[in-house]
Amino acid sequence: MKINKISYWIYLTSIFLILALPLLNLSPLFFPGPWAQSVSFRIIFAILLFLFLKDILLKPSYPQYIKDKVLSIPYFVSVPLAGYLLFVMLSTIFALEPGFSFWGSPYRGDGSLNSILYILFAFFTYIIIKKEDWKKIWAFAIMVGCLVSLIAVAQQFHLLSESVLVPYSDRPPSTLGNTNFLSAYLI
């Protein structure tokens, strides 16, 4: 199955933009950082999904290709992800504040909507990306991780002035807004 070259280029570029979102934390325009990152992710991914839907509707062989690709996902990956999605949806439905559980906090950029979209994004990349482009994607993701790490080091050791980066004496959050997010991201 061949994907249209223009569509594939848009998909690939958008995936690179999504992978670069951890660097997006420009105060006051994108503040708080995690909220700006999650909203930007939702916008980019929504555009990708609309383009993907257009490709599905215009190419008769495309739905079968997607079905075959989804069925080729190993059970040890698909079953836990499906279980996780089920628990996320159930926890949102039975939460004390379902709206807050669904949308999340602006200071954390979380919420069940983001969790569901992250899983869909993983499936989307698995379906769309060609085997030879995975190396580029991993190299870019590692490069962004290195830049996020360098920002954290610069915050910790006060390497840049306060007008550029806010220094932190204890545990720097880098561009992710929270040290726990930084550690989970770097893992």
Side-chain angles (χ1 to χ4, degrees):
M1 170 71 198
K2 284 215 166 194
I3 300 171
N4 181 355
K5 285 185 179 185
I6 295 172
S7 293
Y8 186 74
W9 183 83
I10 293 171
Y11 291 147
L12 202 58
T13 304
S14 300
I15 289 169
F16 282 123
L17 279 174
I18 288 173
L19 291 175
L21 285 177
L23 295 172
L24 180 68
N25 190 0
L26 304 170
S27 201
L29 196 56
F30 294 107
F31 185 80
W35 183 252
Q37 293 162 353
S38 66
V39 169
S40 299
F41 168 74
R42 291 177 200 167
I43 292 169
I44 295 169
F45 192 54
I47 293 169
L48 278 178
L49 288 179
F50 283 120
L51 180 62
F52 187 61
L53 184 62
K54 177 201 65 104
D55 285 344
I56 289 173
L57 294 175
L58 293 180
K59 293 185 180 183
S61 63
Y62 210 61
Q64 184 60 41
Y65 167 75
I66 293 168
K67 180 182 175 188
D68 294 341
K69 195 78 165 168
V70 168
L71 291 176
S72 72
I73 298 172
Y75 285 115
F76 67 88
V77 173
S78 61
V79 171
L81 285 177
Y84 175 72
L85 281 176
L86 177 68
F87 283 122
V88 165
M89 289 181 215
L90 287 174
S91 67
T92 301
I93 292 169
F94 295 110
L96 291 175
E97 294 182 45
F100 182 78
S101 178
F102 182 75
W103 294 108
S105 165
Y107 292 103
R108 293 193 175 261
D110 54 359
S112 60
L113 175 63
N114 277 1
S115 296
I116 293 167
L117 289 178
Y118 292 146
I119 299 296
L120 289 177
F121 178 67
F123 280 119
F124 176 80
T125 55
Y126 178 75
I127 291 169
I128 294 297
I129 300 303
K130 296 175 184 173
K131 192 173 186 176
E132 61 269 10
D133 289 331
W134 277 106
K135 286 183 181 180
K136 296 175 194 171
I137 289 174
W138 279 108
F140 186 77
I142 290 170
M143 182 188 72
V144 170
C146 290
L147 289 173
V148 168
S149 298
L150 287 174
I151 292 170
V153 168
Q155 287 174 331
Q156 178 69 29
F157 297 110
H158 311 285
L159 299 178
L160 297 172
S161 69
E162 287 186 28
S163 63
V164 177
L165 286 177
V166 176
Y168 289 86
S169 58
D170 292 339
R171 300 175 355 190
S174 187
T175 58
L176 300 178
N178 186 319
T179 56
N180 295 333
F181 292 159
L182 175 63
S183 62
Y185 172 74
L186 292 179
I187 286 175

